[in-house]
Each structure stands twice: as structure tokens, then as C-alpha cells.
Amino acid sequence: MHQDAPQFLAAPGGALVPRLLPARPRAAVLLLHGGSEASFRPSHPWHLAALRMVPFHRAIATARPHGDVLLAQVRYRVCGWNDTRADPVADTHEALRRLAALAGPVPTVLVGHSMGARAALRAAGHPQVYGVLGLAPWWPPGEPVDQVTGRHIVALHGERDRVTSPGDSAAYVRRARGTAARAAMAVIRHGDHAMLRRHRFWHHTAAEVVAHLLDPDGCPDPLPTECYGAGDYPLL
């Protein structure tokens, strides 16, 4: 069975929304949208933060190296991170649990924007998680690194982001080296936090990164080797 129509699976503390559901998935991609630093307002799929991920869904679906990759998104209970509550992290773990029940313990790439990237990073220690792609990530100083042991971590950050810090992302990637299997970062020339400037480039590059993570032998790495270096990260 192959289902292209979205489904909604209610779950206490979060939800998993499959977008592409092959009969026998061999891997999965889970998308996490952004949010607010503090907000208990209920999260809805028509909010701009959620809608911003729709073109990434499409690009990743098109670029999947094989047709047996499940594509889904996390639906949060509330819009905010909310300090030590870290609400979207619990939602992500619940979505991963639902994903395992639906498809089995398949290797999963988490793709998160802003707050969603922080939730993805915190959830990276889950046994199903193979890699994390952070889009304009909110990775403030002090974020833990132990949970990314053996994972593949990639950050794409806009040069003109005024909401989250490219410098913080770069600092985290450097700290993750030696712990993660690989850690890389690139800066999107003229890119902003909303990923609207050069939006097609954002979508295409993110999809190619995901395809490479899922099939490193069959899909070339779209990032130059400097992205894996210890110095300044390249402008794309």
C-alpha cells in the first residue's frame, strides 16, 4: 500500500502525521517546524511555522533516493519551547514512538527549522535517529552533545538570520566533532531566518542533504568539503 494523502494519528503528548507511507519503509524522514521561545498557545497545521515546511516536504519527497522512505511530520501540542519543559522534545519522542509502531525501528533523519531543529537535536539520542538536519537552527550555547554520539549532524544557516545565530550553530557543530559520526555546516548566502530569500535553493539543498544521508553511496554529498572543516564555514 502506498498512501499519499495525509493521515492524522492522535497521540497523547503529540502527533505523527505521515505524508508518504510506503508499504515497507526502509527509512524515514521526520520534519519538525519552528515555534516560539515561550507560548502555550495550541499548535495548528495552518500556522505559518508549519506551512513553511510544506515546500520542504515536497522537495524531499521528490529527491528521495528510493520510494521506500516514509515522510512524516511532528505536530506539537503547543507553539512554545517553554524553558525546561522543552515541550516539542516530548512531542518528538512521542512521534518517534508512533513512527516505530507504524513502520518498525527504521533509521530516521530529523529535519527541523529553528525551534524544531533544537527539538531534533535533543531527540538525536533516540535509537532510531540516524541524522539531524537543522535549518536556521536555534542551538543556543550550552546545548548538550552527548546525545549526538554516532549521529550525522548538518546545519544550514542563513547569512542574514537575525532571529537565531549562525555563530551559535557553528559553535555547536565544532563542539559536536569527535562525538557525532560527522558534523557539517554551511551558510546560505543572503539567507534569512524564514528561508524566504533564495527559497528554492534552501529547498533543493535540504532535499539533497537528506538524500545523501539516506543513501551516501548512491547520492552525492551536496556540501563542499569545507563544510566539514574546523574553520569558517563556506557560503553557498
Side-chain angles (χ1 to χ4, degrees), residues 205-224:
T205 304
E208 286 198 330
V209 168
V210 170
H212 176 69
L213 288 172
L214 293 173
D215 185 5
D217 295 325
C219 298
D221 190 344
L223 303 182

Side-chain angles (χ1 to χ4, degrees), residues 105-119:
V106 296
T108 301
V109 173
L110 304 180
V111 179
H113 172 230
S114 193
M115 182 188 78
R118 190 177 184 187

Side-chain angles (χ1 to χ4, degrees), residues 15 33 53 58 60 62 73 88 94-96 110 115 159 164 171 175 185 190 200 204 208 212 233:
H33 64 75
M53 298 303 289
R58 294 174 182 150
I60 291 169
T62 300
Q73 71 179 76
E94 177 60 26
L96 285 164
L110 304 180
M115 182 188 78
E159 180 186 24
T164 57
R175 286 199 299 121
M185 177 174 166
H190 307 309
R200 290 185 181 87
H204 175 74
E208 286 198 330
H212 176 69
Y233 293 105

Side-chain angles (χ1 to χ4, degrees), residues 49-99:
L51 293 175
R52 190 168 288 126
M53 298 303 289
V54 170
F56 287 96
H57 298 166
R58 294 174 182 150
I60 291 169
T62 300
R64 288 178 308 158
H66 305 284
D68 52 359
V69 176
L70 187 155
L71 177 61
Q73 71 179 76
V74 178
R75 183 164 298 166
Y76 309 133
R77 293 160 298 151
V78 297
C79 294
W81 180 267
N82 301 319
D83 199 22
T84 57
R85 288 173 55 103
D87 284 304
V89 180
D91 295 343
T92 303
H93 277 282
E94 177 60 26
L96 285 164
R97 188 186 71 80
R98 288 271 164 166
L99 179 62

Side-chain angles (χ1 to χ4, degrees), residues 14-194:
L16 173 73
V17 184
R19 296 299 186 188
L20 289 172
L21 180 55
R24 295 180 180 177
R26 70 167 186 88
V29 179
L30 192 56
L31 294 108
L32 300 91
H33 64 75
S36 304
E37 185 172 352
S39 174
F40 292 99
R41 183 174 59 133
S43 180
H44 295 292
W46 56 83
H47 288 162
L48 287 177
L51 293 175
R52 190 168 288 126
M53 298 303 289
V54 170
F56 287 96
H57 298 166
R58 294 174 182 150
I60 291 169
T62 300
R64 288 178 308 158
H66 305 284
D68 52 359
V69 176
L70 187 155
L71 177 61
Q73 71 179 76
V74 178
R75 183 164 298 166
Y76 309 133
R77 293 160 298 151
V78 297
C79 294
W81 180 267
N82 301 319
D83 199 22
T84 57
R85 288 173 55 103
D87 284 304
V89 180
D91 295 343
T92 303
H93 277 282
E94 177 60 26
L96 285 164
R97 188 186 71 80
R98 288 271 164 166
L99 179 62
L102 183 67
V106 296
T108 301
V109 173
L110 304 180
V111 179
H113 172 230
S114 193
M115 182 188 78
R118 190 177 184 187
L121 199 62
R122 292 285 186 95
H126 190 282
Q128 282 177 240
V129 175
Y130 173 79
V132 171
L133 170 58
L135 306 171
W138 177 32
W139 290 347
E143 282 297 293
V145 296
D146 289 347
Q147 81 283 5
V148 304
T149 300
R151 275 57 173 179
H152 295 255
I153 308 298
V154 180
L156 298 176
H157 216 128
E159 180 186 24
R160 297 182 179 177
D161 196 325
R162 299 295 181 263
V163 178
T164 57
S165 168
D168 286 349
S169 295
Y172 185 87
V173 169
R174 291 187 185 104
R175 286 199 299 121
R177 291 214 171 90
T179 301
R182 291 191 86 184
M185 177 174 166
V187 179
I188 306 299
R189 191 184 304 273
H190 307 309
D192 61 335
H193 186 72

